[in-house]
Amino acid sequence: MNIRVQILAVMIGLGILVTILELIRKRKLREEYSVLWFATAIGILVLSLWFPLLEWLTALLGVVWPATTLFLFGLIFLVLISLHFSIKVSRLTDQVKDLAQEAALLSEEVSRFRAQSAVPEARPDTSSSNS
Amino acid sequence: MKVLAIIPAYNEEASLPVVLREMSNHAGGVDCLVINDGSKDRTAETARAVGVGVVSHPVNLGAGAAAQTGFRYALRRGYDIVIQIDADGQHDPRDIPSLLRALENEGVDAAIGSRFLEDRGYRPTRMRSVGMSFFNGLATILTGQRVTDSTSCFRALKRPVFKFFAEMDYPTDFQDADLRVLMKRAGFRVQEVAVSMRPRLGGRSFINGIVPAYYVFKVSLSILVTLLREAPRLRRE
């Protein structure tokens, strides 16, 4: 493999690794979302530094150029990361829906009890605060 | 029998007063609950002004989610029957007694209003008609029971049915043929009841633009996975 391609690949791998660590350090990324990113970075590093492994994989896949193998694996990991996020977003959507429904039901209950016990409302109108 | 009418509403300030007035005229003895799905207009205030209960979503969640909030409310407040009716005036509250009469039959768990069971003059557009026939046909084959109006959300449900809807992963947007298939798989007995359909009084349908294509895809996919999943087992109260 061309030495320049190898240097580029190592730099990309290191770049991802450092960025992810820095994001976690600053608490901008939660640890549980970093696993696949670390796997991607380490995968790129291992494949670009351990040339015999890359050659073996290249021959196994029937690919002509070793760098293609490298990028293929990068692509596979990116697809996995996107899928992981789609699953997480679906779960978050469900949780947000449940929370909003619960908030709506509880707020109705509070105003009903307030009306019964004739306690004045703390705020004149809670529903207009988000419009 | 405690009966609750749930009225999911998103930006329906124009039609809601008419619907609520008709409800009190033609469905006396039925409590009304408007579920305001994060409307940007005065939907909630309009309902409160006539003394009707309102549950307001803090954000817009979709028509299905609004209905589910209604089911959850009815479950907590101990209602026996839930009637679901649109806020746009397309459903006629005068049909509610016939929906409730269908539920008096011991074997019926859900009565669903159908615009096509009797010809009452409703004519959908050509595109809409094709889509409806497709899902009606599919639902008829999959439930082994004649389904003439799978898109209808004008219905009366006994407690086991709305309890099931309240606790399941209920669709947040379209409530369609997939629910008919699911109800069949859950072992509920459904009866269609002829109802009239009127043009909407105001507001707009959320099914327009690119949505119809997505709608057909989503409901078809939902039917497929409903069939692939294990049949739901109902928890007894």
Side-chain angles (χ1 to χ4, degrees):
Chain A
M1 186 169 63
N2 189 316
I3 185 71
R4 279 185 292 185
V5 175
Q6 193 171 11
I7 290 172
L8 179 69
V10 170
M11 276 167 57
I12 291 173
L14 281 177
I16 296 174
L17 205 61
V18 171
T19 309
I20 295 303
L21 270 177
E22 181 61 12
L23 285 173
I24 296 176
R25 196 184 67 81
K26 284 187 186 159
R27 295 179 214 284
K28 285 191 175 172
L29 178 67
R30 297 174 64 92
E31 287 88 339
E32 67 248 43
Y33 290 96
S34 65
V35 179
L36 276 168
W37 284 110
F38 276 123
T40 308
I42 290 166
I44 291 174
L45 281 176
V46 167
L47 284 177
S48 53
L49 292 172
W50 187 7
F51 197 59
L53 177 67
L54 185 62
E55 275 195 313
W56 179 77
L57 271 173
T58 305
L60 190 74
L61 293 168
V63 180
V64 179
W65 201 41
T68 310
T69 312
L70 201 57
F71 290 124
L72 180 67
F73 273 84
L75 194 67
I76 290 172
F77 269 100
L78 286 181
V79 168
L80 287 179
I81 289 171
S82 307
L83 190 62
H84 179 228
F85 285 153
S86 296
I87 294 168
K88 291 280 181 189
V89 168
S90 298
R91 224 183 110 222
L92 285 172
T93 307
D94 281 344
Q95 289 171 334
V96 166
K97 188 212 72 174
D98 281 342
L99 285 174
Q101 288 178 318
E102 192 61 36
L105 290 169
L106 288 176
S107 130
E108 189 272 345
E109 211 168 309
V110 168
S111 50
R112 189 151 33 81
F113 282 131
R114 271 222 184 90
Q116 275 172 14
S117 55
V119 177
E121 297 238 3
R123 278 183 293 167
D125 187 4
T126 46
S127 66
S128 62
S129 58
N130 57 28
S131 57
Chain B
M1 285 293 236
K2 279 178 76 183
V3 182
L4 177 73
I6 60 167
I7 310 171
Y10 177 60
N11 295 342
E12 300 283 12
E13 63 176 6
S15 57
L16 201 52
V18 183
V19 173
L20 292 176
R21 195 166 53 239
E22 287 186 331
M23 285 299 296
S24 67
N25 289 343
H26 304 290
V30 173
D31 296 342
C32 285
L33 178 75
V34 170
I35 299 101
N36 166 34
D37 189 20
S39 297
K40 292 181 181 65
D41 65 0
R42 298 180 52 81
T43 295
E45 289 84 344
T46 308
R48 277 195 203 102
V50 291
V52 166
V54 178
V55 170
S56 276
H57 287 169
V59 289
N60 181 243
L61 297 176
Q68 194 190 32
T69 302
F71 300 144
R72 290 185 173 177
Y73 178 94
L75 190 63
R76 289 180 195 187
R77 307 285 317 271
Y79 282 94
D80 303 301
I81 289 174
V82 164
I83 293 163
Q84 185 179 346
I85 181 166
D86 279 0
D88 59 14
Q90 288 191 44
H91 300 153
D92 191 336
R94 270 168 278 244
D95 289 318
I96 287 177
S98 38
L99 284 173
L100 290 175
R101 248 192 323 275
L103 287 190
E104 281 168 16
N105 186 334
E106 197 59 44
V108 176
D109 298 305
I112 301 184
S114 168
R115 296 160 280 182
F116 305 110
L117 209 55
E118 285 172 13
D119 187 356
R120 295 202 184 174
Y122 174 71
R123 296 282 178 274
T125 60
R126 192 168 179 75
M127 271 291 281
R128 212 166 258 232
S129 162
V130 169
M132 282 173 173
S133 312
F134 171 68
F135 285 121
N136 285 336
L138 203 56
T140 301
I141 293 166
L142 294 174
T143 60
Q145 187 188 0
R146 188 160 160 255
V147 173
T148 60
D149 198 355
S150 69
T151 51
S152 173
C153 282
F154 190 20
R155 50 195 180 173
L157 311 169
K158 280 186 183 164
R159 190 170 169 92
V161 182
F162 69 76
K163 178 176 187 286
F164 174 61
F165 285 165
E167 290 166 352
M168 71 175 268
D169 192 7
Y170 195 78
T172 57
D173 42 18
F174 318 119
Q175 309 157 77
D176 208 290
D178 46 342
L179 284 176
R180 298 293 278 268
V181 176
L182 184 69
M183 283 166 88
K184 171 74 185 174
R185 301 227 340 139
F188 292 123
R189 277 141 308 176
V190 175
Q191 188 188 321
E192 285 193 339
V193 174
V195 296
S196 325
M197 190 66 133
R198 305 178 294 187
R200 54 194 304 121
L201 294 168
R204 36 185 320 200
S205 166
F206 70 108
I207 302 181
N208 50 45
I210 184 73
V211 178
Y214 168 68
Y215 167 76
V216 171
F217 167 77
K218 198 253 157 178
V219 176
S220 305
L221 179 65
S222 180
I223 291 173
L224 179 69
V225 296
T226 302
L227 293 172
L228 291 175
R229 285 186 192 126
E230 222 180 307
R233 246 165 294 167
L234 302 178
R235 275 178 291 152
R236 298 246 166 260
E237 279 188 276

